[in-house]
Amino acid sequence: MNSQKSWIVCCFLNFLIASIMGLLMRYMHLFPLNLNYSFILHAHSHIAMLGWAYLMIYVLIVRFFIPKVKREKPFYNRLFWLTEFSVVGMMIAFPIQGYALFSIVFSTMHIILSYVFCLRIWRDSSEEKTEAQKLLFVGISCMVFSTFGVWCLGPALNMLGKQSPFYQIAIQFFLHFQFNGWFLFAVLALFLKQFEGKIDKRDFKIFFTLLITATLLTFAFPGSWYLKNGLLSWMNAFGVILQMIAFVYCCKMLKPQISIFKCNLDIPAKAVYTLAICSLFFKIAIQLLVLIPDLNEVSHQIRNLIIGFIHLTTLGIITGFLFGILIQNNLISGKSSFVRLGIKSFILGYVMTEFLLLLQGIFFYFEKGMISYYYYESIFLMSIFIITGLILILLSLFKIKKQGLIN
């Protein structure tokens, strides 16, 4: 198994483990176990973010943005496996102890290794500043920027405590610039790499400027949960509107190329790209809806809506784009029956769990109680489809021969 294939297999194994942990938490709503729910939640979220999204983006950045002569040097392989070592450390430590000595050590190790990765990408990537590279460099900057929130957690905890606004805002700062900064800009950079040399530079400049501005302004939304200031609501509203305009320009920019682009995609790639784009516009629609004061107030209080929104970003947008790029570039075979069935299973599980989370959240908002007595059973069963899909994709990867589709 060559290094690139082993990287991809490793990322999918991380994703599968994170998904099994998510399924375990849903099982615990049905049959209580002698396990700490919050510890499993910490493990699930860290492995999904850092073991799946971060490492798969790592793999694709190295492949598409680093010249072949540089990416074949042992540095990137060693850095990948060191980073995976930190992920495995978190995978073991978080379920056992939650946030404590060993989980903090491995989390800190991951952050330091991410700095090394950023510096190396800045050094090794092509000097030609393409549109995709500009998005990538903003994404990398957001990743580094987001970690300032992590470094603030220790002092905030010691001086003010966990319930203080400063501590909570530091967590939201990290999450906002990870999801809406690093991950989103990185997958957009990888996606637009497919259109290199075919993008209208003026439309891109407007899209690029508006999206950066919107990302900065929309941090006001989680900030407003802990600091009551009318200015924050206006900043967020302005940011959400700018974000919507940014993606209108993105559609305008890509419109001349889309029909040709679609013709070169097979059915699984079309399906996951459609999933990603629909999820992206659904996310924007939700952010516009939350500008309504009543919805703004409850948006962070109803747990089902929070989980649904997080999964919309991670499973819908980020994973959708990553799957699309992998299949389009034959890093996963779109012709494999395992992949085709796996993608269908994953999409079904994702769509149905999102629907159930959203519907239950709406029921709670209108004080209607539970959807039915079988809500937890239903969402547990639908989650199995996500895991089944990942297993099928992994099986297809293990079937690829040494000189197969991944080279």
Side-chain angles (χ1 to χ4, degrees), residues 246-312:
F247 282 106
V248 168
Y249 267 94
C250 184
C251 292
K252 180 174 178 282
M253 175 179 76
L254 296 177
K255 190 177 179 181
Q257 308 299 329
I258 285 296
S259 57
I260 300 168
F261 179 73
K262 283 166 66 178
C263 287
N264 296 322
L265 296 176
D266 52 23
I267 292 170
K270 283 180 184 175
V272 288
Y273 273 139
T274 301
L275 177 78
I277 292 163
C278 289
S279 297
L280 177 60
F281 281 99
F282 190 44
K283 173 180 177 284
I284 294 167
I286 289 172
Q287 287 177 289
L288 287 167
L289 272 175
V290 172
L291 296 180
I292 299 167
D294 284 351
L295 292 176
N296 187 332
E297 194 63 35
V298 301
S299 62
H300 62 288
Q301 296 171 357
I302 300 175
R303 184 172 176 79
N304 304 72
L305 296 179
I306 295 168
I307 296 168
F309 190 77
I310 292 169
H311 286 183
L312 182 70

Side-chain angles (χ1 to χ4, degrees), residues 36-289:
N36 188 304
Y37 185 92
S38 65
F39 289 3
I40 304 296
L41 175 61
H42 291 322
H44 166 75
S45 58
H46 280 78
I47 306 314
M49 279 179 64
L50 306 178
W52 162 244
Y54 174 92
L55 278 177
M56 186 52 80
I57 289 170
Y58 176 111
V59 172
L60 295 174
I61 287 173
V62 171
R63 181 174 176 88
F64 294 112
F65 286 94
I66 304 301
K68 190 173 182 180
V69 67
K70 292 181 180 178
R71 72 170 181 257
E72 288 182 345
K73 291 181 179 178
F75 173 83
Y76 285 106
N77 190 49
R78 289 170 184 165
L79 182 61
F80 179 91
W81 292 113
L82 274 173
T83 308
E84 173 61 14
F85 175 74
S86 72
V87 169
V88 172
M90 287 183 271
M91 204 181 286
I92 296 167
F94 273 114
I96 295 170
Q97 60 175 197
Y99 274 106
L101 176 62
F102 289 108
S103 56
I104 291 170
V105 166
F106 287 116
S107 302
T108 305
M109 179 182 176
H110 194 287
I111 291 173
I112 292 167
L113 291 170
S114 74
Y115 291 164
V116 175
F117 177 61
C118 290
L119 288 170
R120 192 68 178 220
I121 294 299
W122 276 101
R123 197 186 84 174
D124 285 353
S125 58
S126 170
E127 291 181 8
E128 182 188 357
K129 297 296 180 282
T130 64
E131 287 79 12
Q133 269 190 306
K134 289 175 183 176
L135 283 167
L136 177 62
F137 289 157
V138 171
I140 285 171
S141 300
C142 284
M143 192 215 320
V144 174
F145 191 44
S146 73
T147 60
F148 295 168
V150 177
W151 300 129
C152 289
L153 290 177
L157 182 63
N158 290 329
M159 292 188 292
L160 302 168
K162 270 191 176 182
Q163 302 309 314
S164 67
F166 182 46
Y167 183 88
Q168 297 298 326
I169 287 170
I171 293 173
Q172 295 304 324
F173 183 90
F174 171 72
L175 294 174
H176 178 79
F177 286 103
Q178 281 278 313
F179 288 119
N180 299 302
W182 157 230
F183 290 147
L184 182 60
F185 276 88
V187 295
L188 288 174
L190 290 161
F191 181 62
L192 290 187
K193 185 76 174 171
Q194 325 293 319
F195 299 89
E196 209 154 71
K198 302 171 185 175
I199 294 173
D200 183 276
K201 293 187 182 298
R202 179 182 171 276
D203 284 344
F204 174 79
K205 188 175 180 181
I206 296 170
F207 161 68
F208 184 63
T209 306
L210 289 176
L211 190 58
I212 293 172
T213 308
T215 303
L216 293 168
L217 289 173
T218 50
F219 173 61
F221 178 61
S224 69
W225 301 344
Y226 307 103
L227 297 174
K228 299 303 177 186
N229 188 315
L231 179 62
L232 293 175
S233 297
W234 284 105
M235 284 171 65
N236 176 57
F238 189 45
V240 170
I241 292 165
L242 288 184
Q243 178 183 244
M244 181 183 67
I245 298 169
F247 282 106
V248 168
Y249 267 94
C250 184
C251 292
K252 180 174 178 282
M253 175 179 76
L254 296 177
K255 190 177 179 181
Q257 308 299 329
I258 285 296
S259 57
I260 300 168
F261 179 73
K262 283 166 66 178
C263 287
N264 296 322
L265 296 176
D266 52 23
I267 292 170
K270 283 180 184 175
V272 288
Y273 273 139
T274 301
L275 177 78
I277 292 163
C278 289
S279 297
L280 177 60
F281 281 99
F282 190 44
K283 173 180 177 284
I284 294 167
I286 289 172
Q287 287 177 289
L288 287 167
L289 272 175

Side-chain angles (χ1 to χ4, degrees), residues 332-361:
I332 294 176
S333 173
K335 295 178 175 62
S336 164
S337 56
F338 280 158
V339 170
R340 286 171 176 257
L341 189 57
I343 292 296
K344 286 177 185 176
S345 181
F346 179 87
I347 291 175
L348 175 64
Y350 163 72
V351 171
M352 290 307 300
T353 53
E354 281 295 288
F355 172 75
L356 288 167
L357 285 165
L358 178 62
L359 188 61
Q360 183 59 71

